[in-house]
């Protein structure tokens, strides 16, 4: 029932900006977290940012001050605005959703991913 589809990934130069979108269907926004995770070549999948059910949001230290997560419930879309991009931001970016379990978000549903490449 839940479907997440990312778009917007492409190759950009160091210092550039890029916006990603995640079109969502079947998500219960009142009970779910939505967020972004990424996986660079040869590395594990790491958390990037989360938009919580109450409207609050948080970002990983590695992207704090550069990336902004937001959502438009009316448009069923989650966004990730990325500024001042660095080569180390190169990764496959995944949109994810799941229930809030008091202490954390349980990432249950995943998009197919969209590739972001930042050139040196």
């Amino acid at each position: 029932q839940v479907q997440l589809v990312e778009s917007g990934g492409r190759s950009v130069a160091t210092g550039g900006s890029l916006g990603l979108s995640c079109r969502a269907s079947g998500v219960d926004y009142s009970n779910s977290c939505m967020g972004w995770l990424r996986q660079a070549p040869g590395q594990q999948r790491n958390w990037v940012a989360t938009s919580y059910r109450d409207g609050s949001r948080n970002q990983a230290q590695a992207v704090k001050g550069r990336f902004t997560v937001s959502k438009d419930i009316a448009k069923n879309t989650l966004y990730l605005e990325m500024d001042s991009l660095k080569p180390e931001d190169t990764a496959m970016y995944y949109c994810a959703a799941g229930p809030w379990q008091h202490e954390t978000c349980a990432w249950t549903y995943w998009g197919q991913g969209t590739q972001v490449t930042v050139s040196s």
Side-chain angles (χ1 to χ4, degrees):
Q1 185 176 3
V2 174
Q3 286 194 320
L4 306 171
V5 182
E6 305 96 333
S7 63
R10 63 179 178 89
S11 179
V12 297
T14 297
S17 298
L18 185 63
L20 304 181
S21 297
C22 172
R23 292 176 292 168
S25 62
V27 175
D28 180 1
Y29 295 103
S30 67
N31 295 290
S32 299
C33 307
M34 293 192 70
W36 295 92
L37 296 91
R38 67 185 182 184
Q39 186 168 19
Q43 300 184 20
Q44 65 182 40
R45 191 170 298 182
N46 293 315
W47 169 70
V48 175
T50 299
S51 176
Y52 299 96
R53 59 182 182 176
D54 64 354
S56 63
R57 56 197 182 190
N58 199 13
Q59 302 160 284
Q61 182 64 37
V63 304
K64 199 171 185 65
R66 300 188 297 118
F67 290 13
T68 301
V69 63
S70 62
K71 64 185 175 187
D72 188 332
I73 296 176
K75 295 182 178 180
N76 293 309
T77 304
L78 180 75
Y79 302 98
L80 183 67
E81 179 62 36
M82 304 181 290
D83 298 313
S84 301
L85 284 162
K86 306 174 181 180
E88 51 262 46
D89 294 319
T90 294
M92 183 72 74
Y93 284 72
Y94 297 90
C95 178
W100 173 249
Q101 298 180 337
H102 296 100
E103 300 88 4
T104 187
C105 302
W107 303 119
T108 304
Y109 306 102
W110 298 83
Q112 82 289 346
T114 186
Q115 179 68 39
V116 174
T117 301
V118 184
S119 63
S120 301

